[in-house]
Amino acid sequence: MQFLGHVVRFIVSALVLMVVGWIVPQFSVGGFGSALLLALVIALIGWIIESVFGTRVTPFGRGIVGFLVSALVIYLAQFIITDVRVTVLGALLAALVIGIIDLFIPLAAPFDKTRAD
């Protein structure tokens, strides 16, 4: 059951990234496959940052540090996924829009103990 939850979370994350690509002018995602890979890369980079620096300095962290790390992760992910194009301003705007969407539709499971709320 937990595997299905992760799959649903990645699909929702990919859809959110496609919506962000439609809203933010300096952020583009090639298609659903690219958005799905982008969601996976963002999760992996976030996991690496969390394991090195702790839960306070992650894309899922609250506050300005979490926002800036989220923008940095989005910007770095474009170098791994070929169909993604983002500028620094686009990464900042995308992190802002993703943060706002995450307020209304949390992308983490409600009982996920790894998320720092």
Side-chain angles (χ1 to χ4, degrees), residues 30-47:
F32 184 72
S34 297
L36 201 58
L37 284 173
L38 182 60
L40 180 64
V41 167
I42 288 172
L44 287 174
I45 294 174
W47 177 77

Side-chain angles (χ1 to χ4, degrees), residues 2 35 40 49 56 71 81 84 87 95 99 101-103 106-107 114:
Q2 189 175 10
L40 180 64
I49 290 173
R56 295 249 184 240
I81 307 298
V84 175
T87 63
I101 291 173
D102 192 41
L103 284 174
L107 298 179
T114 60

